Amino acid sequence: GAVVSQHPSRVICKSGTSVKIECRSLDFQATTMFWYRQFPKQSLMLMATSNEGSKATYEQGVEKDKFLINHASLTLSTLTVTSAHPEDSSFYICSAALSGPWSEQYFGPGTRLTVT
Amino acid sequence: QKEVEQDPGPLSVPEGAIVSLNCTYSNSAFQYFMWYRQYSRKGPELLMYTYSSGNKEDGRFTAQVDKSSKYISLFIRDSQPSDSATYLCAMSEDSGNTPLVFGKGTRLSVIA
């Protein structure tokens, strides 16, 4: 099956610094990538939808200037958390989808961000 | 009212039991219904998907969708300790390139 990787798997950073998370589709080209955030014992909440070569579409309440998304190629999307704060500590998961009538979203393994 | 409601559990069952997991939803435009399994600190993996109403069976897993009641279910027969995980229902109005709306997930423990 299709594989999506994320890097890093875990990161600890100090408050005020920026962190970049990479999401790669390893064996397929993803027309669309999604970024989700999951707090402990909570569901996945969509943050933004990213299409290759265009600006990301952010969900209501997600600050686009704080969570910078770049989808520069069909196999790579990045999420940069700028000026991170402790409340940004969460599990960030990306998914990638092919185009077509039905296309499964393949999820990455997630990145656990801890801001101290 | 949240779009997708799912009892978070936890649900604990003995090995071999039949497990029933359920979600309700409010958006009548949802057409694609999925069940994901998520192990601790891992990304979700797709178990089953169903388009519109009906049943779908895959091995020990059966997914049911009742659009008239806005209710979906996942049944696990002969549950195994390896089935212990969080099960998330997810839905979308369209296929593939549209965002999924997830339930909160039900934590399942199958005790040997």
Side-chain angles (χ1 to χ4, degrees), chain A residues 6-11 13 17-24 35 66 68-70 72 76-84 92 111 113:
Chain A
Q6 277 185 245
H7 178 78
S9 58
R10 183 177 295 185
V11 57
C13 70
T17 61
S18 296
V19 174
K20 180 185 282 188
I21 302 170
E22 291 186 351
C23 176
R24 292 183 184 271
W35 286 95
K66 179 172 182 63
L68 302 178
I69 292 173
N70 185 289
L76 173 64
S77 177
T78 60
L79 167 68
T80 301
V81 182
T82 63
S83 187
Y92 292 86
T111 296
L113 170 63

Side-chain angles (χ1 to χ4, degrees), chain A residues 10 32 34 36 38 43 46 49 91 93 97-105 107-109 112, chain B residues 32 34 36 38 41-44 46 49 88 92 95-100 102-105 107:
Chain A
R10 183 177 295 185
T32 306
F34 302 91
Y36 296 84
Q38 187 177 33
S43 189
L46 180 68
T49 301
F91 194 50
I93 306 176
L98 298 160
S99 61
W102 159 255
S103 178
E104 178 180 344
Q105 284 188 30
F107 283 83
R112 182 159 303 281
Chain B
Y32 292 87
M34 288 137 281
Y36 285 85
Q38 185 178 25
R41 301 188 180 186
K42 301 290 184 182
L46 180 67
Y49 80 90
L88 301 125
S92 67
S95 60
N97 294 349
T98 52
L100 301 177
F102 282 87
K104 190 174 284 192
R107 287 172 54 206

Side-chain angles (χ1 to χ4, degrees), chain B residues 14-88:
Chain B
E15 182 176 359
I18 296 175
V19 176
S20 173
L21 305 168
N22 313 291
C23 288
T24 59
Y25 63 95
S26 57
N27 184 353
S28 58
F30 287 143
Q31 295 191 79
Y32 292 87
F33 304 90
M34 288 137 281
W35 286 95
Y36 285 85
R37 178 172 60 196
Q38 185 178 25
Y39 293 109
S40 181
R41 301 188 180 186
K42 301 290 184 182
E45 57 175 325
L46 180 67
L47 278 177
M48 300 187 72
Y49 80 90
T50 309
Y51 171 70
S52 195
S53 286
N55 295 356
K56 190 171 186 178
E57 188 174 321
D58 184 2
R60 297 185 293 111
F61 298 89
T62 300
Q64 290 185 351
V65 174
D66 182 349
K67 289 191 70 178
S68 62
S69 302
K70 297 189 179 67
Y71 186 87
I72 71 169
S73 301
L74 177 71
F75 297 96
I76 307 174
R77 292 185 299 281
D78 188 24
S79 55
Q80 303 295 310
S82 58
D83 295 328
S84 299
T86 296
Y87 290 80
L88 301 125

Side-chain angles (χ1 to χ4, degrees), chain A residues 35-68:
Chain A
W35 286 95
Y36 296 84
R37 181 167 52 184
Q38 187 177 33
F39 292 106
K41 298 185 180 181
Q42 298 294 317
S43 189
L44 281 77
M45 298 299 295
L46 180 68
M47 298 177 67
T49 301
S50 169
N51 290 295
E52 184 264 341
S54 60
K55 289 185 178 180
T57 302
Y58 290 81
E59 294 300 296
Q60 192 173 9
V62 178
E63 300 175 57
K64 63 179 180 181
D65 294 330
K66 179 172 182 63
F67 298 98
L68 302 178

